[in-house]
Amino acid sequence: MPNESLSNTLAPPRKRTRPEWWSINTVLGYAFVAPLMLWLALTILYPLIVSVRISTENIRYIGTSGDFVGLDNYSYVLESPRFRDALENSVVWVIGNAVAQTFLAFAAALILKQRFFGQKFARIWIILSWVVPTVVVVIIWRWLLSASGGIVNHSLVSLGIVSEPIGFFSTGDRAFASVILINSWRWFPFNAVILLAALQRIPQELYEAASVDGANALQKFVSITLPSLRPVLFVLGLVGTLLSFNVFDVIWLLTAGGPSNATTTLPVLIYETAFKQYRLSRAAAMSVITGVILLTFAALFIRFLSPPAEQDEG
Amino acid sequence: MRNKLSVLVIVLVAIAILAPQAPATARQQVEITLWHMEQPPHRVERVQTLIDEFNAANPDIVVKQEPQNWGEVYTKAPAAVAAGNAPELLFAIPDFTPILKDLGAVQPVEDFVAELDAMHAFYPAAVAQYTYDDHTWAVPLYNMAHSMWYRKSVFEEAGVEVPSTWDDWLAATETLTTGDQYGIGLPSSKSLYTDQTVYDLMVNAGADEIYNEDGSLRFNNPDTVAAYDMYNKLYVFSPPDSPNWTWGEAEACFANRSCASILQFTVITTYDTQAEGDAADLGVAPIPYREGVEDPGTISYVNAVMILTDDEAKVDAAKRFISFILEPENYGRFLNMEPGLFLPVTEDGSVAESFWNDPLVVKYKEQVEIMLDNSTSGRLFGFTGGNTFPSIAAISAQNIVAQTLQLVAIDGMSPEDAVAEGQQLMEEAVED
């Protein structure tokens, strides 16, 4: 108490300062982000609210009205075997793409990091499959894999590897594997370029020191490369998973979810429900559930796999 | 000065009197918009040529076209109707019409169709696909019908006669299947094309009716099972990638000689531009039928135009434009926006010089005549025998006929079980 009274006595008279939230920098900051926040609210928040509203009604066709049915659509969707199958397919799809793309991207990035003749050309060339529009990619692959005149089957038969052309989309498993590989072929250059940029930031001295200590290539990769890439892998893992989950165009154009729904992932099922079955509200309920699943995944991913913040070098 | 002022006043008064009349003239010109789904540039160009001629001959009407695509119009048109900005004229296929009819957007046109019928004589099957619930909902414009396409020389080399019955068909297909050639190209994708080819067999198995008279479904019956069974037997001789085929892949398979035969609306353009183009070697025949079936046929899609306005002046303008298109001197040019694909639905159109004098039609006259003949026995699932119910739109949109085939051809289910499950899927699809 005495100290308190002393400090009160000795304290200089307080200036009448504005609260921090009312400082010029704060206000200016909000002013700068306000247009973006407004834009996001209009383009994301509003449609999201509308989706939730639609999911509680029984609207069939877009542009028409319906009656309030509460949570009926949600209970229908959650009990639907097709929804469960599509969710399962989506999980397999995401894991399959993650494995294939990670492997391809790492391989490509490690190769492109080496010095060799034509390195610069190769770094540009690899992006080609990512730059080409999806529709073109799909048409190219459909014709390449065609059983009646496709170059892949022609080559396999000519080389005696198979006795008759393979139907790459003829069974569920083959179709799923084919679609995953085609999608991975399209997306791995994007990941490879980001990994390459991260690889180039790793100080060469670390590898040299490890060599002096007698570390082999695998030990260097596990002890130096992977930890150094952790922040980049975290971002790629999060964004890549969300992007992969939502892929619709490649699947729809290649198989339309077939054969026998084997490649029907949630985005495909939502599209079919809304625009083929004309059950708009049911599709909205699926969308909301999907959104919740993805948000939960993102929250858990950030919570448990987020890399520690880098120490300030200054 | 006073004179100048007087002149100025007179001019201003004249402008004031005449000015409102200019917009009045413009108001008298009725503008109507046509949505169609014939997107390829040469088709759009041909439609525009006809529109320009019509607009020139009818200064009180302005028709403009806005090409759409089939992939989007199923959602775009209902949304446009709900928003109050639907076109006055919209092309349709039979299973698209019930969707807009349910929204109360389509005008009944039976009286207008009767007038046109008196002038041009519609083929009854064409009008039937749009006549239900006591009205006719669209004016038929052109027909598309499946046939069996083959190369005469390939059949001759294999010593195979063109089959007319299923037993002959299966034997011929097996014989035609060699090391680098498939006897037939049949799709099994969940697509409209597969719906169509399966229905080809259903028609020729005596299973063309999907509904009973009371609106209940009769898909699950022995004739349908026979059709799926036959399809599955033929499918063995089809390329292994056909689970993701649509029309283009089938045409390509035929053009590059990998497929000895296919079921298709037409292959004339592809065959003429990307294959040999030898008209004498291109064979077209009716689709074989199961022994004992009395009324064999094929799938046919009559394309039509709906009127989506109740504005009297616009309805009148729309009718005048439709009448113009169906005049024999214009109708052939309209059909030949895609020569060898679109077939006439009127008797005078089928003999119109404007139809038969197109160079490609001249070259493939024999084939077009057979196509035309096949089309007269055409039917469409859900639109047969007067047993038409709007719920067929939901069945068609989900490709349930094709889904049922996948159960047999891909999942290995028996035709009996698959057809039973197909009926169940249909019942779920049509529930409110």
Side-chain angles (χ1 to χ4, degrees):
Chain A
M1 280 300 280
N3 286 345
E4 194 179 306
S5 71
L6 183 65
S7 66
N8 283 343
T9 312
L10 296 177
R14 273 188 190 166
K15 284 183 182 176
R16 287 190 60 196
T17 54
R18 291 174 181 157
E20 194 172 340
W21 61 267
W22 187 235
S23 72
I24 187 70
N25 282 343
T26 307
V27 172
L28 205 58
Y30 278 116
F32 280 130
V33 297
L36 183 64
M37 298 301 286
L38 190 65
W39 176 249
L40 287 176
L42 283 172
T43 56
I44 295 178
L45 196 61
Y46 176 70
L48 200 64
I49 292 166
V50 171
S51 292
V52 173
R53 181 182 60 77
I54 290 174
S55 71
T56 59
E57 297 178 351
N58 62 352
I59 299 170
R60 293 199 61 173
Y61 301 105
I62 191 167
T64 59
S65 57
D67 300 322
F68 180 75
V69 295
L71 298 177
D72 285 3
N73 289 316
Y74 288 93
S75 53
Y76 178 90
V77 167
L78 291 171
E79 287 169 13
S80 159
R82 282 207 70 192
F83 181 80
R84 286 199 296 273
D85 290 347
L87 180 60
E88 196 179 303
N89 284 343
S90 285
V91 172
V92 176
W93 165 260
V94 168
I95 293 170
N97 272 283
V99 171
Q101 289 182 37
T102 304
F103 176 77
L104 290 170
F106 254 114
L110 290 170
I111 291 169
L112 289 175
K113 188 169 174 274
Q114 311 304 314
R115 290 181 186 278
F116 58 91
F117 177 74
Q119 181 208 39
K120 284 185 181 172
F121 177 74
R123 285 182 180 184
I124 296 169
W125 184 253
I126 195 177
I127 303 174
L128 198 67
S129 70
W130 184 57
V131 173
V132 175
T134 308
V135 173
V136 179
V137 168
V138 167
I139 290 171
I140 288 170
W141 277 103
R142 280 181 76 139
W143 288 116
L144 284 173
L145 299 178
S146 168
S148 47
I151 188 71
V152 173
N153 266 312
H154 179 75
S155 304
L156 291 173
V157 174
S158 301
L159 294 169
I161 297 170
V162 294
S163 57
E164 57 184 32
I166 298 169
F168 285 96
F169 302 98
S170 59
T171 65
D173 292 343
R174 278 190 204 167
F176 213 142
S178 301
V179 178
I180 285 174
L181 286 176
I182 292 168
N183 189 59
S184 298
W185 177 84
R186 174 162 167 66
W187 279 98
F188 89 85
F190 173 75
N191 297 335
V193 168
I194 290 175
L195 284 176
L196 178 61
L199 282 172
Q200 287 174 325
R201 286 191 60 207
I202 302 173
Q204 195 58 31
E205 294 78 11
L206 293 177
Y207 291 104
E208 288 166 3
S211 297
V212 170
D213 291 343
N216 61 28
L218 183 64
Q219 287 170 322
K220 287 181 197 171
F221 182 77
V222 172
S223 303
I224 301 173
T225 309
L226 271 183
S228 303
L229 291 179
R230 195 174 163 193
V232 172
L233 290 175
F234 169 76
V235 173
L236 282 181
L238 181 60
V239 176
T241 302
L242 297 179
L243 286 176
S244 264
F245 195 97
N246 288 319
V247 165
F248 168 79
D249 48 7
V250 172
I251 302 173
W252 186 255
L253 292 169
L254 276 169
T255 63
S260 281
N261 301 320
T263 57
T264 298
T265 55
L266 278 179
V268 173
L269 182 65
I270 290 167
Y271 177 84
E272 276 197 336
T273 306
F275 303 120
K276 291 276 188 180
Q277 299 174 19
Y278 304 115
R279 309 279 180 182
L280 196 67
S281 289
R282 213 172 270 173
M286 289 179 186
S287 303
V288 172
I289 294 170
T290 305
V292 171
I293 291 170
L294 292 179
L295 278 173
T296 308
F297 165 80
L300 292 174
F301 195 91
I302 292 167
R303 172 72 183 79
F304 293 108
L305 295 175
S306 180
E310 282 185 29
Q311 292 294 320
D312 195 347
E313 289 174 7
Chain B
M1 184 66 189
R2 179 175 281 184
N3 282 346
K4 283 181 181 173
L5 194 63
S6 303
V7 170
L8 185 63
V9 168
I10 290 168
V11 168
L12 287 173
V13 169
I15 289 170
I17 293 169
L18 294 173
Q21 288 183 342
T25 309
R27 274 203 301 274
Q28 285 165 5
Q29 207 172 38
V30 179
E31 187 174 306
I32 56 172
T33 303
L34 165 68
W35 279 13
H36 63 77
M37 280 60 76
E38 305 306 338
Q39 273 193 319
H42 57 281
R43 297 186 196 175
V44 173
E45 192 180 336
R46 178 61 62 89
V47 172
Q48 191 58 50
T49 302
L50 289 162
I51 286 175
D52 290 343
E53 287 177 20
F54 176 80
N55 287 345
N58 298 271
D60 56 329
I61 300 173
V62 177
V63 179
K64 59 176 186 172
Q65 62 167 329
E66 290 179 7
Q68 310 293 323
N69 74 60
W70 277 117
E72 289 176 358
V73 79
Y74 276 74
T75 51
K76 196 170 175 182
V81 168
N85 55 14
E88 285 75 22
L89 289 171
L90 173 57
F91 277 22
I93 53 176
D95 52 26
F96 180 43
T97 305
I99 295 171
L100 294 181
K101 178 189 158 292
D102 274 1
L103 296 174
V106 186
Q107 297 300 309
V109 288
E110 56 273 9
D111 294 340
F112 180 48
V113 167
E115 280 174 36
L116 294 168
D117 187 48
M119 287 187 280
H120 307 296
F122 283 112
Y123 293 125
V127 182
Q129 294 188 1
Y130 292 94
T131 303
Y132 41 88
D133 292 352
D134 305 324
H135 294 289
T136 301
W137 299 101
V139 182
L141 284 182
Y142 53 92
N143 200 359
M144 299 158 69
H146 267 194
S147 299
M148 185 174 75
W149 295 86
Y150 63 98
R151 279 184 180 76
K152 293 174 184 173
S153 57
V154 170
F155 274 50
E156 280 166 18
E157 280 166 26
V160 168
E161 293 283 320
V162 177
S164 57
T165 64
W166 278 9
D167 287 344
D168 293 344
W169 195 14
L170 195 56
T173 306
E174 188 172 0
T175 306
L176 288 163
T177 303
T178 58
D180 54 355
Q181 177 182 273
Y182 298 96
I184 191 167
L186 282 177
S188 63
S189 52
K190 195 172 96 178
S191 70
L192 183 57
Y193 182 38
T194 306
D195 281 349
Q196 293 167 351
T197 51
V198 172
Y199 190 67
D200 281 331
L201 271 77
M202 286 172 63
V203 170
N204 289 294
D208 54 342
E209 297 276 1
I210 286 190
Y211 289 108
N212 292 308
E213 283 180 14
D214 62 358
S216 59
L217 286 157
R218 63 179 311 277
F219 180 72
N220 186 9
N221 65 68
D223 295 331
T224 308
V225 171
Y228 276 91
D229 184 46
M230 177 62 180
Y231 198 107
N232 198 36
K233 286 175 180 164
L234 290 168
Y235 183 73
V236 172
F237 306 110
S238 187
D241 61 343
S242 52
N244 72 337
W245 269 19
T246 55
W247 300 271
E249 284 81 4
E251 278 191 62
C253 190
F254 183 75
N256 68 24
R257 305 182 76 96
S258 297
C259 292
S261 63
I262 58 169
L263 306 182
Q264 182 63 286
F265 290 118
T266 185
V267 298
I268 288 177
T269 307
T270 318
Y271 179 79
D272 197 64
T273 56
Q274 293 169 43
E276 306 92 297
D278 177 9
D281 194 36
L282 181 62
V284 55
I287 295 163
Y289 57 91
R290 185 169 63 142
E291 289 80 352
V293 169
E294 290 177 357
D295 190 19
T298 181
I299 191 169
S300 81
Y301 272 85
V302 174
N303 287 245
V305 60
M306 300 179 285
I307 298 176
L308 302 184
T309 176
D310 56 4
D311 180 302
E312 210 170 297
K314 291 189 172 191
V315 169
D316 181 58
K319 286 180 175 176
R320 280 165 64 186
F321 179 66
I322 295 168
S323 301
F324 171 83
I325 292 292
L326 287 171
E327 286 299 326
E329 64 269 26
N330 305 322
Y331 189 44
R333 289 186 295 143
F334 173 74
L335 295 171
N336 287 329
M337 66 174 139
E338 195 62 70
L341 174 61
F342 299 143
L343 302 169
V345 289
T346 60
E347 284 181 18
D348 65 354
S350 64
V351 293
E353 201 179 318
S354 61
F355 176 66
W356 290 104
N357 66 7
D358 183 275
L360 207 64
V361 177
V362 170
K363 183 176 176 183
Y364 293 95
K365 189 178 181 201
E366 179 195 327
Q367 287 82 359
V368 174
E369 282 174 340
I370 296 171
M371 288 167 67
L372 193 53
D373 195 37
N374 288 346
S375 74
T376 57
S377 62
R379 269 154 278 171
L380 182 60
F381 51 94
F383 296 88
T384 48
N387 299 332
T388 299
F389 299 91
S391 60
I392 189 64
I395 293 171
S396 178
Q398 294 180 54
N399 307 117
I400 295 176
V401 173
Q403 283 189 56
T404 306
L405 176 72
Q406 291 197 327
L407 294 173
V408 182
I410 294 167
D411 295 347
M413 198 181 275
S414 74
E416 289 82 3
D417 291 346
V419 169
E421 189 162 330
Q423 166 126 351
Q424 196 181 330
L425 288 171
M426 289 181 179
E427 285 166 355
E428 284 169 16
V430 303
E431 72 179 10
D432 286 329

